[in-house]
Amino acid sequence: MEFFLDTADVDEIREIAGWGILDGVTTNPSLIKKSGRDFKETVREIASICSGPISAEVTALDTYGMVEQGRELKAELPENVIIKIPCTPEGLTATKILTEDGIDTNVTLIFSASQALMAAKAGATYVSPFIGRIDDTGHDGMELIAEIMNTWANYNLESKVLAASIRHPTHVLQCMQLGAHTATMPAKIFRQLMKHPLTDRGLDSFMQDWAEVKKAGNA
Ligand code: E4P
């Protein structure tokens, strides 16, 4: 399973990339706004820290604009940048055109299995269903991941299912059980996934015992 960071904060990206298990990064216009920095400069820096796919989102709403922006971003930014496109009819056409150009895409803002299937048919490299935002409406976002994974099993689709809008470690654990190919999550969730009180307690006790081994001159 691929683990992506969902942030435009380069300090966080450096921290998690340092663990050696970061497979990619997703950004969106809101995350770029939060960074307070220039869009292209930030994506360029992110792409220099992480060699995996870095999603940069188009902001045009019409097909022509999305395709132009996608081609421009691909031409100006490092090779590992992929183009994030909203799941609209215009976005589907843009995905199809960019895919024919050989450009990798991530179709975002997916809230139903039918949207995911259509994005896959358009050639999306990644399809991004948003779990947390569905939970926020009082429904179960994880059911959508299950429906999508069933659909993928039925039709043997090539696009990777990128679980997005992840709000807590249990979302990631459930995605692992359902076989989602990728999860994108904030740095906080990477830290939560790695933390276990028994690891900390076990390490403390090994260190205390080792100090006594040394004191006894046996190390
Ligand atoms: C995914 O690519 C999106 O950037 C992200 O997961 C959205 O998450 P949010 O619902 O927490 O904003």
Side-chain angles (χ1 to χ4, degrees):
M1 187 184 193
E2 293 178 316
F3 278 2
F4 286 8
L5 252 176
D6 195 29
T7 185
D9 180 328
V10 292
D11 292 331
E12 285 182 340
I13 297 167
R14 275 205 185 84
E15 177 198 336
I16 305 299
W19 295 6
I21 55 146
L22 183 62
D23 298 305
V25 177
T26 48
T27 68
N28 64 39
S30 305
L31 293 170
I32 295 293
K33 177 187 159 201
K34 198 171 158 199
S35 78
R37 297 184 51 196
D38 177 76
F39 172 44
K40 288 180 187 167
E41 178 192 295
T42 307
V43 173
R44 223 172 256 124
E45 190 172 346
I46 294 172
S48 75
I49 303 168
C50 175
S51 59
I54 312 300
S55 292
E57 189 159 340
V58 297
T59 48
L61 296 177
D62 62 302
T63 299
Y64 179 80
M66 289 183 199
V67 170
E68 284 297 290
Q69 231 182 325
R71 284 177 176 156
E72 182 193 303
L73 291 171
K74 270 312 278 184
E76 290 182 17
L77 295 174
E79 188 56 35
N80 56 329
V81 170
I82 70 170
I83 307 304
K84 203 174 188 190
I85 300 172
C87 191
T88 58
E90 296 79 6
L92 280 191
T93 316
T95 300
K96 176 103 182 152
I97 295 170
L98 290 175
T99 301
E100 283 166 1
D101 278 4
I103 295 175
D104 284 349
T105 56
N106 170 4
V107 176
T108 189
L109 288 168
I110 288 181
F111 294 93
S112 73
S114 47
Q115 284 182 317
L117 179 59
M118 286 197 262
K121 282 171 71 67
T125 315
Y126 288 93
V127 300
S128 288
F130 278 40
I131 303 169
R133 293 193 194 187
I134 294 181
D135 290 354
D136 291 345
T137 67
H139 294 86
D140 183 2
M142 205 49 65
E143 276 178 16
L144 172 60
I145 303 296
E147 281 177 16
I148 293 175
M149 295 319 297
N150 279 339
T151 309
W152 257 234
N154 287 342
Y155 297 107
N156 208 14
L157 296 162
E158 278 179 23
S159 309
K160 288 185 179 174
V161 176
L162 195 172
S165 186
I166 284 179
R167 300 279 165 79
H168 47 73
T170 310
H171 274 156
V172 183
L173 296 180
Q174 290 174 316
C175 284
M176 284 157 59
Q177 302 313 311
L178 291 167
H181 306 96
T182 311
T184 190
M185 52 200 155
K188 179 184 158 198
I189 293 178
F190 273 83
R191 296 186 200 107
Q192 289 172 327
L193 286 169
M194 268 310 290
K195 186 87 183 152
H196 200 291
L198 291 180
T199 305
D200 297 343
R201 210 185 302 162
L203 190 58
D204 275 353
S205 119
F206 286 157
M207 291 304 102
Q208 279 169 23
D209 289 342
W210 190 245
E212 295 197 19
V213 171
K214 286 213 291 197
K215 207 166 145 194
N218 291 329

